[in-house]
Amino acid sequence: QVLLVESGGGLVQAGGSLRLSCAASGRALRSTNRVWFRQAPGKEREFVAAIGSGGRTSYAEFVKGRFIISRANAKNMVYLEMNSLEAEDTAIYYCAANQIPYFTGDNPTDYNFWGQGTQVTVSS
């Protein structure tokens, strides 16, 4: 059974930092790309960052220089370090994956494994 579980969300003041974690269970996702999406109230789910099995990263323009995605393959974990947070970063953050080792794009429909999400709230 494949399972993705996010953690690390919370309430933070603007300018602060949070570190999200995504734990994966199941051998099917051990060497695959992992992606973070987010969804704010009333908005569509949008791509945030991705990391391939070899460590190659991709970022949405609006998080470049502020967020860092990383992974610990031995633990089957992926992290999203979020710095200089802004009120506009408030959203539910989701970890997603498919069974492909490299980044396959920023369309949520490309990913068939999803976590339950973790809420990030940035107060201004």
Side-chain angles (χ1 to χ4, degrees):
Q1 181 181 359
V2 173
L3 189 65
L4 294 172
V5 179
E6 304 95 335
S7 61
L11 174 64
V12 64
Q13 289 187 333
S17 299
L18 282 175
R19 189 193 195 207
L20 306 183
S21 299
C22 173
S25 62
R27 296 180 64 181
L29 295 184
R30 186 163 292 279
S31 298
T32 66
N33 79 112
R34 205 72 61 81
V35 185
W36 287 96
F37 287 86
R38 71 184 188 184
Q39 188 166 17
K43 295 187 177 181
E44 293 186 350
R45 194 165 295 190
E46 62 181 356
F47 167 75
V48 176
I51 186 166
S53 61
R56 185 170 183 175
T57 58
S58 298
Y59 294 94
E61 283 297 322
F62 57 78
V63 302
K64 282 185 178 179
R66 300 190 299 126
F67 292 9
I68 301 173
I69 188 170
S70 61
R71 67 189 296 157
N73 287 336
K75 299 179 180 180
N76 213 356
M77 295 285 294
V78 170
Y79 307 98
L80 184 67
E81 181 179 344
M82 305 186 296
N83 303 304
S84 302
L85 283 163
E86 305 166 353
E88 293 73 21
D89 294 317
T90 295
I92 299 175
Y93 283 72
Y94 296 92
C95 180
N98 53 30
Q99 292 178 277
I100 299 174
Y102 51 86
F103 180 47
T104 55
D106 59 6
N107 191 331
T109 61
D110 290 336
Y111 302 91
N112 50 345
F113 299 106
W114 291 85
Q116 82 289 349
T118 185
Q119 176 71 48
V120 171
T121 303
V122 184
S123 62
S124 57

